[in-house]
Amino acid sequence: MHVPDGFIDAPTSAVTGVVAAGALAVSLRGARRELGEERTAPLAGLVAAFIFAVQMLNFPVAAGTSGHLLGGALAAILVGPYTGVLCVSVVLLMQGVLFADGGLTALGVNITDMALVTTVVSYAVFRGLLAVLPRKRRSVTVASFVAALVSVPAAAVAFTLIYAIGGTTDVSLGKVATAMIGVHVLIGIGEAVITALTVGAVIAVRPDLVHGARGLRQRLRLRVDGELVDAPEPVAVPAAARTSRRAVWLTGLVASLVLAGFVSFYASADPDGLEKVAHDKGIDTKEKEHASADSPLADYGVKDVSDARLSGGLAGVIGVGVTVVAGSAVFWAVRRRRGADVSPANPGL
């Protein structure tokens, strides 16, 4: 759903740019609370890199149409909604600048649609479901599935509304909405499966690292002399007996590199949902050439490397590396700012 330059007119792109900037400002402030521990920053950077890698894996959803992960739900559940908005925004920035994927003048549109809408909608659905489901780990996985499923057509609706306000072509809004929502419901199923599997895998080894699972455990209550009292807290499991954060981080990084550097070669080559709808309905008639079209990594290939498999693999590995470094740097900076703002008199700031 990366919107290219030329789909949305300049005034609307500018307004969405302001909305995106405001969302990022709020997210930077909110992420200070979510990145409460020093080692959370590199994990958030890893989430951004993993989303970048999985977005390279287009999967077929219908005849001649493919889809890929948007990542808003996954990021929000793993590292928190504010940090999640930043994660997806970092990915979109790297894709737009380095890989000519998603227009630069449309960056505000893409951040608003793919980072803000998906994260807010999915996390609201996720929290709503956890409020009514049994307080178990399996409920987190189920809620992750549904939240991710809903987030993708929600983003399609958001794009349709933005197009209705500032679309550069005269195309029936009803046809655009029907096509966009229809195909992205199917893409949402793939998003839901990927999100639920990933969240479930992390919960299985380190549930404490999943933001959406924090506070899920109910305090055991015992009846003593006819009254219910809270049971003592269980003894914490020694760190050595659990999978370390470093092991989780390295495993995630290796998985991201393998997905982007090798598995991505076997991804579907069919156009994604927005590309297909834009071509079929004529939305793309005023699409502009990307400002980074001459980038050495444009279209997810390394310039002057003739072997397609090697070119795409190298581009994927470079993308994962750049994203994890950029993302970690952003989150370290946010974490350090939080530390500077906290004072003994005001530890909650």
Side-chain angles (χ1 to χ4, degrees):
M1 202 179 292
H2 294 75
V3 179
D5 294 322
F7 277 26
I8 307 298
D9 63 25
T12 306
S13 296
V15 171
T16 56
V18 172
V19 172
L24 292 176
V26 172
S27 296
L28 285 169
R29 187 174 182 83
R32 296 180 197 174
R33 298 190 297 272
E34 293 172 349
L35 299 171
E37 300 180 23
E38 292 185 1
R39 296 180 182 179
T40 308
L43 289 174
L46 175 63
V47 170
F50 183 78
I51 290 172
F52 174 90
V54 179
Q55 282 197 3
M56 294 183 66
L57 308 181
N58 281 46
F59 47 85
V61 294
T65 309
S66 69
H68 63 70
L69 181 80
L70 298 185
L74 178 61
I77 294 165
L78 288 180
V79 294
Y82 295 107
T83 308
V85 170
L86 298 179
C87 281
V88 180
S89 297
V90 167
V91 173
L92 293 171
L93 181 61
M94 295 299 102
Q95 291 170 331
V97 173
L98 298 180
F99 297 91
D101 188 9
L104 295 184
T105 62
L107 186 59
V109 175
N110 286 320
I111 289 177
T112 299
D113 193 21
M114 295 179 63
L116 180 59
V117 171
T118 59
T119 301
V120 170
V121 170
S122 64
Y123 201 69
V125 172
F126 176 78
R127 279 300 175 192
L129 288 173
L130 285 188
V132 298
L133 291 173
R135 298 176 65 83
K136 298 179 180 179
R137 293 180 183 176
R138 183 176 299 176
S139 297
V140 176
T141 305
V142 172
S144 300
F145 183 94
V146 178
L149 176 63
V150 173
S151 71
V152 179
V157 171
F159 168 79
T160 303
L161 294 175
I162 294 172
Y163 172 80
I165 297 171
T168 56
T169 53
D170 185 17
V171 179
S172 169
L173 182 61
K175 292 181 179 179
V176 173
T178 301
M180 282 292 293
I181 296 172
V183 72
H184 283 92
V185 167
L186 299 177
I187 294 173
I189 297 173
E191 177 106 8
V193 170
I194 295 170
T195 300
L197 288 176
T198 305
V199 171
V202 179
I203 285 180
V205 293
R206 286 294 300 267
D208 58 305
L209 297 183
V210 179
H211 183 277
R214 294 177 184 176
L216 186 65
R217 185 182 61 193
Q218 285 183 315
R219 187 74 177 268
L220 179 64
R221 308 199 74 190
L222 303 176
R223 186 174 295 278
V224 179
D225 296 332
E227 296 183 2
L228 288 175
V229 297
D230 291 333
E233 287 285 351
V235 178
V237 179
R242 301 179 297 174
T243 305
S244 69
R245 291 176 186 247
R246 179 175 297 180
V248 173
W249 192 89
L250 289 175
T251 301
L253 180 61
V254 170
S256 299
L257 291 171
V258 170
L259 291 172
F262 177 73
V263 180
S264 62
F265 181 77
Y266 301 97
S268 173
D270 291 331
D272 65 25
L274 176 58
E275 291 174 328
K276 179 66 172 175
V277 172
H279 177 73
D280 290 347
K281 305 302 179 184
I283 298 176
D284 60 355
T285 56
K286 293 188 178 181
E287 180 179 351
K288 298 179 181 178
E289 184 180 18
H290 200 286
S292 300
D294 295 329
S295 167
L297 299 173
D299 298 323
Y300 298 94
V302 177
K303 189 176 182 180
D304 298 329
V305 176
S306 57
D307 185 275
R309 178 175 297 186
L310 179 60
S311 177
L314 287 174
V317 168
I318 293 170
V320 168
V322 171
T323 304
V324 74
V325 170
S328 297
V330 169
F331 299 124
W332 270 117
V334 173
R335 176 67 181 81
R336 287 175 63 87
R337 178 64 182 273
R338 178 186 185 276
D341 288 346
V342 174
S343 65
N346 298 288
L349 293 179

